[in-house]
Amino acid sequence: MKILAVCGNGLGTSFMLSLNVNKVLKDLNIDGECKNMDLASAKTESADYYIGSPEIMEQLEDGNKKVIPVVNMVSQNEIAEKVKKHILEAE
Amino acid sequence: MLETKLTEEMVQFTSEAKSWEETIRIASAPLLDKGSIEPRYVEKIISNVKELGPYIILMPNVAMPHARPEDGVNETGISLLVSKESVYFQGEKSARIFLVLASSDATSHLELLKEISEILTDEEKLNELLAAKNYQDIKNLF
C-alpha cells in the first residue's frame, strides 16, 4: 500500500507526518509505506491514500483520491485512529 | 544536531502576540542575521501560507514555518520563538511555538526534524517547551 504524506512544499510538515505514519503502519501491522511530497506534485502522483492537514486534503480532493485529514501531525494516537477509520474499516 | 543548530542566539521569547506574519518575521530574524537565509525566504513562507493555508502548523500550538531550499536558503538552520500568547492564523488555528526551519537541500534537515518530532511527541517535553522562559529551559529538552 502506498500512502503519500502531503504538505505545502513537501519537505517539512509532510516529512514529519510520514515518520509518524510509518510508525503507526508498523504498529497496526499494515503492509505499506508512507512517503512525503508537495501538494503540486501529489496532485498527479497516484497513491492508495493521501494524508495531511484538512486544508491541504481539501485542495487535493478531486473525487477519486482517498484522503485522510489529520490535525496533529505528530500525534500517533490521532494518526492511528484515522488510519483505522479510513483504511482498516473501509476495506 | 538540534544542540549545535539551535544555539542561544537562535532562540527568542515574546510576551505579546502579534500578527502571524509579523511573528514569522521576528522568528526568522536570527537566521537572516546569520546569513543562513535571504529575506525572500521569509516572504515566500508568508505567501505560501496565504496561498495554501497554514500547512506549517504541525499540531495545536506548534508551527514550523518553512519553504523550499531554492526559496533563498544558504545554510541549513533553525530558529525558535516562544510566544507567551497565542498567535492566530486564518481561521481558528493558532500557535505559540514557532520553529523556523531552513534547509539547504532536500535531505540535510531530516535529522533535525526527527529530533524535533521526538520532543513534540513526548507530552512532558512539549509542556516544558510551551512553558519555557529562557534558553536553559530549551536546552534541557535536547
Side-chain angles (χ1 to χ4, degrees):
Chain A
M1 180 183 300
K2 179 177 168 185
I3 301 177
L4 274 186
V6 186
C7 78
N9 52 39
L11 285 176
T13 317
S14 58
F15 174 75
M16 204 170 262
L17 176 61
S18 72
L19 287 177
N20 292 302
V21 172
N22 280 320
K23 280 186 197 160
V24 166
L25 291 177
K26 209 176 156 198
D27 287 348
L28 295 175
N29 278 321
I30 297 174
D31 184 21
E33 201 195 355
C34 182
K35 288 185 175 170
N36 57 303
M37 194 172 272
D38 66 282
L39 176 63
S41 310
K43 282 182 177 168
T44 54
E45 177 82 12
S46 69
D48 296 297
Y49 293 93
Y50 301 79
I51 190 165
S53 74
E55 296 85 12
I56 294 285
M57 291 299 100
E58 211 170 280
Q59 295 179 64
L60 198 58
E61 172 78 86
D62 60 1
N64 296 315
K65 290 189 170 71
K66 290 177 187 162
V67 300
I68 308 175
V70 289
V71 175
N72 187 331
M73 311 291 157
V74 299
S75 162
Q76 284 174 35
N77 285 341
E78 185 191 346
I79 295 168
E81 197 183 293
K82 297 280 169 69
V83 164
K84 280 184 201 161
K85 185 180 152 206
H86 288 267
I87 300 180
L88 294 182
E89 288 167 20
E91 279 180 359
Chain B
M1 198 175 180
L2 259 182
E3 204 170 355
T4 57
K5 291 287 183 190
L6 200 56
T7 49
E8 191 161 8
E9 66 269 22
M10 290 292 141
V11 181
Q12 302 176 82
F13 299 89
T14 57
S15 48
E16 211 178 311
K18 303 227 166 41
S19 70
W20 65 265
E21 292 98 324
E22 187 65 12
T23 306
I24 288 177
R25 289 198 180 97
I26 297 168
S28 308
L31 289 169
L32 267 176
D33 291 345
K34 203 181 170 211
S36 302
I37 55 171
E38 291 164 24
R40 67 186 172 98
Y41 186 70
V42 183
E43 298 312 312
K44 183 70 179 177
I45 294 171
I46 292 171
S47 65
N48 275 352
V49 172
K50 284 183 177 161
E51 188 189 335
L52 302 164
Y55 67 90
I56 57 173
I57 296 189
L58 290 178
M59 61 192 293
N61 281 324
V62 182
M64 188 173 70
H66 62 282
R68 295 185 63 85
E70 62 269 26
D71 296 326
V73 179
N74 299 319
E75 185 197 24
T76 296
I78 187 163
S79 62
L80 167 68
L81 182 145
V82 180
S83 170
K84 209 172 164 188
E85 293 179 356
S86 296
V87 174
Y88 282 85
F89 287 77
Q90 310 103 303
E92 298 292 300
K93 290 196 168 183
S94 68
R96 285 185 46 223
I97 303 294
F98 286 76
L99 280 156
V100 181
L101 181 73
S103 181
S104 59
D105 58 59
T107 54
S108 65
H109 63 303
L110 300 182
E111 196 50 49
L112 271 176
L113 286 184
K114 278 185 194 163
E115 291 176 35
I116 293 168
S117 182
E118 298 291 327
I119 293 174
L120 299 180
T121 48
D122 182 330
E123 203 171 324
E124 208 171 293
K125 285 192 170 181
L126 174 65
N127 287 333
E128 283 174 33
L129 176 61
L130 285 163
K133 288 184 177 64
N134 52 51
Y135 182 64
Q136 194 54 47
D137 292 342
I138 301 296
K139 232 182 150 203
N140 290 340
L141 298 170
F142 304 157

